[in-house]
Amino acid sequence: MATETVSTEAGGMDSFAALFEASISGGEFGKEGEIVQGTVVAVQRDNVIIDIGGKSEGMIALSEFAGADGTVSVKAGDRIDVYIESRENDDGLVTLSKEKADKMKVWDEISGACERDELIEGTISQRVKGGLSVTIKGGVKAFLPGSQVDLRPIRNLDKLIGQTYQFKVIKFNKKRGNIVLSRRVLLEKERDEQKTKTLETLEEGKVVRGVIKNITEYGAFVDLGGIDGLLHITDMSWGRVNHPEELFKVGDEVTVKVLKYNPETERVSLGLKQTQEDPWSHAEEAFPPGKKVHGKVMSITDYGAFVELEPGVEGLIHVSEMSWTKKVKHPSKLLEVGQEIDCQVLEVDAKAKRISLGLKQLEPDPWTLFTEKYSPGDKIGGKVRSITDYGVFIGIEEGVDGMVHKSDLSWTAKVNNPADLHHKGDDVEAIILSINHDEKKVSLGIKQLWDDPWPTIFSEFPPGKVVDTKVVSVVDYGVFVRIREGVEGLVPTNELVERKGEDGEVKPYEIGDAFQAEIANVDSQDRRLTLSMRIGEGVALAQKSEKQRASVTPKKSDEGPRATSIGELIKQKLGDKLVKKDDEG
């Protein structure tokens, strides 16, 4: 309301009305676009009512009275400068603005600072679309774009609210009342100054301090003062680092060493581990061969597992050094990443930064236990572990196998396929023939469990003799039978007699079946016995074999002694030749 005092004498009301109209028409309380002083009449929930001396009061949004920290301190009776936007709106109120008044008051000062390339101070008050609102001198609000806040984009702008900084005015429009600020320009200038200063003293081998500026999968960028250097992941620690975030976060201060510096490209390579002692320098003293050590499995490959013994020192347990008794197909079958284990140092090469470790060495060597317990000639028992084309492998002790070559399976049966006589899982006995300590191999013999029957074979089992037999193996071409311990023979398929069951169908032969058979052929050259179930017919086969031998070897007198050993056979076959040679002599 107007504060002017007017006389109330006769004619006074007319004079007051005339004066008020004159003031309104003459614009005594200000024109649009001018700054006038008003009084706060009332503070409402969202607005502040201002009296500037006109017939109507003005209204300003309460938010225009917010300080840099967001608090509102206006109260009734306060005298403030306001900007008249319009003398009367549709509601009959004067449209006012405190922000525009504040801006206009300091505009000349800001314009002068901008022209003189001076900085202005302001406080970031709130976040707005596209950036931040900054309160500068006189409460004037300016706009700070998000791209001008810092050298790099800042994700969380809210953390800057309430912070006071120096700014540079990069754009202003007095007519619109727009002021655009930049903090990045100042930081770039400051960075360039720091860069110049840093480059003057930067050199390879120098230890410098910096701040982690950015982190990637392969390393971290360190701000050394206006220039960034790369701290590669391999140069962060003597130990294994899977990701730089395990060691650093943005903003951390670090002391690093300049490894490489190219003044032309301004590229800088940094190292952190180079500022510390290389743990491999004392590895030979700390981890001598034979020492039992404790470590953590860091990684697993197809050929072994890497174990960290101390930060920066890892050793390899090769897959062949993991178990004495198990054939480890992949290290992951025994170990897993992160597992803590005990192992033994086998070999150290500090120059090559390699340590060979063993896991199985913590357990007794089965080979040593075996050689202490057994010697060649000893009898052993075990199960058939596997069968090959050339022999049978028998498990002697845990972790130690022996092999029976097919030539050592039987004295009297020619075995082309070891699987014809033995099967995986069979319990067998054998004699240790030899022990190869260098290759850790054991040679076994099954036939050596019994004496060689061939010196007496012709007298014990002459062709035509009927013997009791027991089937030990069934093959496609016949059955192998045991005549007695240490003597086996083959009954070919065509010499077998068909057996029929109760249902009249042919019944096949099985292991364990017993029957009588006739010695059909004794082949001393190939050392094999052939039998026939066709008793009486086997003699013809024997005579046929005898004729075949006679066609090769001169026949002795019928009255001559019968050979009973290999030596005698040789004498009989070579006797005539020896006599002729003596006569000629």
Side-chain angles (χ1 to χ4, degrees), residues 365-391:
D365 182 357
W367 179 260
T368 302
L369 298 177
F370 167 78
T371 54
E372 291 176 352
K373 184 177 180 182
Y374 296 99
S375 299
D378 289 348
K379 181 179 178 181
I380 61 94
K383 286 185 179 292
V384 175
R385 289 186 180 273
S386 62
I387 299 175
T388 67
D389 294 339
Y390 52 85

Side-chain angles (χ1 to χ4, degrees), residues 195 199 202 226-229 261-269:
K195 180 178 178 180
L199 292 177
L202 195 65
I227 185 171
D228 294 345
Y261 168 52
N262 188 330
E264 296 180 0
T265 60
E266 295 185 353
R267 289 186 177 182
V268 184
S269 296

Side-chain angles (χ1 to χ4, degrees), residues 295-342:
K296 182 179 180 181
V297 178
M298 302 302 291
S299 65
I300 293 177
T301 66
D302 292 339
Y303 54 86
F306 287 91
V307 179
E308 183 182 62
L309 304 180
E310 69 173 53
V313 178
E314 291 184 5
L316 172 66
I317 304 178
H318 194 269
V319 66
S320 62
E321 303 294 345
M322 291 186 175
S323 175
W324 291 113
T325 60
K326 297 178 182 178
K327 188 175 182 180
V328 183
K329 294 183 178 179
H330 196 276
S332 60
K333 300 295 182 181
L334 290 182
L335 304 172
E336 59 183 20
V337 175
Q339 181 180 354
E340 294 192 1
I341 59 172
D342 290 325

Side-chain angles (χ1 to χ4, degrees), residues 287-467:
F287 307 107
K291 181 179 180 180
K292 179 181 177 181
V293 292
H294 185 80
K296 182 179 180 181
V297 178
M298 302 302 291
S299 65
I300 293 177
T301 66
D302 292 339
Y303 54 86
F306 287 91
V307 179
E308 183 182 62
L309 304 180
E310 69 173 53
V313 178
E314 291 184 5
L316 172 66
I317 304 178
H318 194 269
V319 66
S320 62
E321 303 294 345
M322 291 186 175
S323 175
W324 291 113
T325 60
K326 297 178 182 178
K327 188 175 182 180
V328 183
K329 294 183 178 179
H330 196 276
S332 60
K333 300 295 182 181
L334 290 182
L335 304 172
E336 59 183 20
V337 175
Q339 181 180 354
E340 294 192 1
I341 59 172
D342 290 325
C343 47
Q344 182 174 309
V345 178
L346 304 181
E347 187 179 353
V348 181
D349 187 346
K351 292 183 179 179
K353 294 186 177 181
R354 291 179 181 176
I355 296 181
S356 297
L357 303 173
L359 194 61
K360 68 184 182 182
Q361 284 73 13
L362 299 181
E363 301 292 335
D365 182 357
W367 179 260
T368 302
L369 298 177
F370 167 78
T371 54
E372 291 176 352
K373 184 177 180 182
Y374 296 99
S375 299
D378 289 348
K379 181 179 178 181
I380 61 94
K383 286 185 179 292
V384 175
R385 289 186 180 273
S386 62
I387 299 175
T388 67
D389 294 339
Y390 52 85
V392 177
F393 286 87
I394 301 173
I396 304 173
E397 295 283 341
E398 186 68 22
V400 179
D401 292 348
M403 188 194 75
V404 182
H405 192 269
K406 63 183 180 180
S407 62
D408 290 314
L409 291 174
S410 174
W411 289 112
T412 57
K414 185 175 178 62
V415 182
N416 292 317
N417 183 8
D420 291 344
L421 281 184
H422 296 280
H423 305 87
K424 188 175 181 180
D426 287 351
D427 289 312
V428 295
E429 291 182 331
I431 296 293
I432 297 176
L433 303 182
S434 64
I435 299 175
N436 187 329
H437 293 277
D438 293 334
E439 298 182 10
K440 293 186 177 181
K441 291 182 179 180
V442 182
S443 294
L444 302 174
I446 291 179
K447 72 180 184 181
Q448 285 81 3
L449 290 167
W450 303 277
D451 293 335
D452 184 357
W454 283 99
T456 61
I457 199 79
F458 288 100
S459 60
E460 187 176 1
F461 301 108
K465 182 177 181 179
V466 177
V467 293

Side-chain angles (χ1 to χ4, degrees), residues 478-499:
V479 295
F480 282 96
V481 295
R482 178 168 291 122
I483 303 171
R484 69 166 172 80
E485 292 295 336
V487 178
E488 291 86 24
L490 173 68
V491 182
T493 303
N494 60 348
E495 296 300 327
L496 290 171
V497 176
E498 287 187 351
R499 298 186 305 169

